[in-house]
Amino acid sequence: MTMDALSEVLRVVRLVGAIFIQGRFTAPWCYLSPSADAAAPFLEPGAERVVIFHLITEGECFVELAGEPPVRLVAGDAVVFPQGDAHRMTSEPGLPPATGARLDEVLSRRPRMLAYGGGGATTRLICGYLACDARLARLLLAGLPRLLRVNVRGSNAGIWLESSVRYALAEARSPRPGGAGVLAKLAELLFIEVLRLYMNEQGEGRTGWLAGMGDRIVGSALTALHSHPAQAWTLEELARTAGTSRSVLAERFQQLVGSAPMQYLTQWRMLLAANLLCRSNAPLARIAEDVGYQTDTAFSRAFRREYGCPPAAWRRNRSAQPQLH
């Protein structure tokens, strides 16, 4: 049940994935990955937000973030940087990055394979990224740690994905068409599997949308809002659906998701509306009704508060802009 809301969020908000490098490094080695903001122009021009991830397929290494202790990664570990932090991948902590080993410089050459190092123990990894709307990043990734690590070999889907990624990378080096498209879809699936595994790992003190989905009360409320966004919800009715009191729901929702339930509903309705404005020619009155507003005026007012301009103007501006592929 809890996966329904995640599926709905991912359906509504554009997610563009790509797997871009298969790395084979031999110790000692170290490379620097700049912040996602710095890497974005090389990865997906026009993207509002880029999320970088790595999948270790053989051996082990360390990831270093400024101000944090090094984290050891082993084969099967997938690591995501939800806030887009600059980081270093290295065979051992404290090594200086190799000359020319900045990821943005490497990406500008668009290699499929990357191999270097000192000839010692081998580590293989796959680098990928996802471009997405800033609002998706705010919704899904808020409250997550700077570094999110799960081991995909702990799930059947993860094992299948890892072998599929390796196969697709081998195929991408052949002249047959369609390889890049397959890799893009696999990058999305891998990212979703990481989120699912993270949701299942209950940890103390976690906050954010994914933590809310893993909570019995807040997860029930989120699922209800996502299943029936146009319904005339009240806090009382939502609390009844979640099997709790209004005060408990309001407190837990604010604590985990970071907003009040009705405020969250408005934000979600506006995301749905923006999606419909982008992807359909439906009149504003129809869109307003589909997302739970009785009048165009009330809908336009809410949309302007969230996006800074009326829906008709926003639609015109978006249609004039280059879109993510």
Side-chain angles (χ1 to χ4, degrees), residues 13-315:
V13 192
R14 294 169 304 155
L15 198 64
V16 179
I19 291 173
F20 51 87
I21 291 177
Q22 187 172 20
R24 178 182 175 276
F25 305 122
T26 55
W29 60 272
C30 176
Y31 78 77
L32 172 69
S33 179
S35 69
D37 288 344
F42 297 96
L43 298 175
E44 196 71 40
E48 293 178 331
R49 181 72 186 275
V50 166
V51 178
I52 292 173
F53 64 86
H54 308 295
L55 173 65
I56 313 303
T57 58
E58 182 188 319
E60 60 178 60
C61 62
F62 291 85
V63 58
E64 295 180 304
L65 278 174
E68 305 268 352
V71 175
R72 180 171 170 263
L73 304 176
V74 298
D77 275 346
V79 61
V80 176
F81 304 88
Q83 318 312 327
D85 287 280
H87 56 277
R88 298 201 301 185
M89 304 291 287
T90 181
S91 57
E92 60 182 275
L95 290 178
T99 307
R102 274 180 60 95
L103 190 61
D104 50 353
E105 295 167 6
V106 170
L107 292 177
S108 65
R109 301 194 294 272
R110 289 279 169 187
R112 276 275 176 226
M113 294 283 294
L114 194 59
Y116 64 83
T122 298
T123 301
R124 294 179 188 270
L125 53 86
I126 291 160
C127 303
Y129 73 89
L130 287 139
C132 60
D133 289 304
R135 280 174 176 80
L136 170 70
R138 221 168 45 226
L139 182 76
L140 265 190
L141 306 179
L144 292 180
R146 294 171 67 199
L147 186 155
L148 189 158
R149 177 190 57 175
V150 299
N151 195 288
V152 300
R153 291 183 183 175
S155 76
N156 290 333
I159 294 166
W160 172 83
L161 272 167
E162 191 181 336
S163 58
S164 298
V165 165
R166 280 207 292 261
Y167 173 76
L169 279 163
E171 281 290 291
R173 295 198 299 277
S174 74
R176 295 198 329 186
V182 171
L183 285 170
K185 287 298 169 198
L186 286 171
E188 293 175 46
L189 289 171
L190 184 60
F191 179 67
I192 293 166
E193 182 62 13
V194 167
L195 295 184
R196 293 178 68 177
L197 289 168
Y198 180 80
M199 278 172 65
N200 291 335
E201 290 179 2
Q202 293 301 323
E204 288 300 312
R206 284 187 177 174
T207 60
W209 192 90
L210 290 171
M213 282 305 304
D215 180 82
R216 183 183 63 82
I217 290 172
V218 176
S220 295
L222 284 169
T223 297
L225 294 177
H226 283 267
S227 301
H228 306 286
Q231 187 168 318
W233 288 104
T234 63
L235 184 59
E236 186 169 0
E237 189 177 357
L238 189 61
R240 196 180 308 121
T241 301
T244 189
S245 68
R246 287 183 303 172
S247 58
V248 168
L249 175 61
E251 184 182 345
R252 287 189 72 78
F253 204 100
Q254 181 75 47
Q255 177 192 357
L256 290 176
V257 181
S259 63
M262 295 301 108
Q263 181 189 359
Y264 176 87
L265 175 60
T266 300
Q267 290 170 343
W268 176 241
R269 285 172 167 174
M270 293 306 99
L271 269 173
L272 286 173
N275 183 58
L276 290 168
L277 287 165
C278 269
R279 301 186 186 186
S280 78
N281 294 318
L284 293 185
R286 167 79 61 77
I287 293 174
E289 187 179 335
D290 285 350
V291 299
Y293 289 85
Q294 302 307 309
T295 67
D296 292 7
T297 309
F299 167 59
S300 292
R301 197 160 47 236
F303 193 91
R304 183 195 283 269
R305 271 198 304 270
E306 182 71 16
Y307 285 87
C309 66
W314 189 86
R315 177 184 253 172

